[in-house]
Amino acid sequence: MEEEYRLFEGRPQGMACTPMEHKVYDFLDSLGVGYKTLKHPAAFTIEECNKVRERVNAPVFKNLFLTNKQQTRFYLLLMPGEKVFKTKYLSAQINSARLSFAGEDLMMKYLSVTPGSVTPMGLINDKELEVNLLIDEDLRNEPVFACHPCINSASLLLRFSDLTDRILPATRHPFQWVKLPTEADSD
């Protein structure tokens, strides 16, 4: 239903928000980063995120929380929503043993998020800098993007340059560009 989607300039007004959402909005406001917020039904899949994308006219990235086999290194991977993730291509680029998806307990421990809510905004909770951010090269020229404010019933519309030039430095998280193949390249 159309009324389930409400777009706000900045933080949502007159709507209930979780304490974690408020933490994200406070963080962005403290940096002077401009953003819009779309409140919407919970989005767990890339298909549901595409409905959000249509309303904000911005790409929604896949945000994958990964770990090595020993669960001693953790990675947040941002990649185009339409790409298929194949671990062997990424593992070779970052010199890591085979990667797998990190479990819900690790998501909560390092990013304070639950499945379906993984987001680069979760890095504000990683004070010990345990999570390594990886960004697919295909996102390098995106002017704007949408991501969750640590909950999947809202999406932020941000400039990609604000992520790389302002938000990540404020969290003290460096990032690494990686090149993941398209389906045609990986066959």
Side-chain angles (χ1 to χ4, degrees):
M1 295 176 63
E2 196 61 37
E3 63 270 9
E4 294 177 327
Y5 292 84
R6 291 189 57 199
L7 186 63
F8 298 88
E9 197 66 48
R11 71 175 62 224
Q13 301 297 317
M15 295 194 78
C17 293
T18 67
M20 185 54 64
E21 277 181 278
H22 283 297
K23 183 176 180 179
V24 171
Y25 303 138
D26 290 345
F27 175 76
L28 294 173
D29 292 345
S30 74
L31 296 177
V33 170
Y35 62 97
K36 292 181 181 179
T37 306
L38 180 69
K39 293 292 271 184
H40 54 75
F44 291 95
T45 66
I46 199 67
E47 291 78 20
E48 291 166 329
C49 289
N50 281 336
K51 292 178 183 176
V52 170
R53 179 190 53 76
E54 291 169 5
R55 284 172 170 75
V56 295
N57 195 27
V60 176
F61 304 158
K62 280 185 187 172
N63 298 278
L64 306 179
F65 189 51
L66 307 167
T67 185
N68 62 354
K69 185 176 181 180
Q70 300 79 14
Q71 294 189 346
T72 56
R73 298 190 65 185
F74 302 94
Y75 305 90
L76 175 57
L77 172 64
L78 278 61
M79 62 185 283
E82 67 277 0
K83 274 193 176 181
V84 176
F85 174 65
K86 294 190 177 178
T87 184
K88 69 179 181 177
Y89 297 103
L90 181 59
S91 296
Q93 291 178 65
I94 62 173
N95 298 318
S96 178
R98 273 309 245 206
L99 298 170
S100 62
F101 293 100
E104 184 174 351
D105 57 331
L106 295 171
M107 284 181 201
M108 186 55 71
K109 178 179 179 180
Y110 293 107
L111 300 176
S112 299
V113 298
T114 58
S117 299
V118 176
T119 173
M121 295 299 111
L123 295 173
I124 68 175
N125 301 307
D126 179 28
K127 302 295 186 197
E128 302 301 317
L129 306 178
E130 296 288 336
V131 179
N132 300 288
L133 181 62
L134 309 171
I135 305 175
D136 187 286
E137 286 274 350
D138 287 349
L139 304 179
R140 188 183 289 266
N141 296 317
E142 290 292 346
V144 295
F145 75 107
C147 69
H148 296 309
C150 295
I151 188 163
N152 66 354
S153 58
S155 293
L156 299 168
L157 181 62
L158 296 158
R159 286 186 296 278
F160 192 72
S161 61
D162 280 339
L163 175 67
T164 58
D165 300 345
R166 298 172 76 189
I167 295 168
L168 294 175
T171 68
R172 301 182 354 255
H173 282 84
F175 66 93
Q176 177 182 343
W177 293 107
V178 294
K179 183 65 180 161
L180 301 173
T182 61
E183 192 65 31
D185 296 336
S186 64
D187 292 335

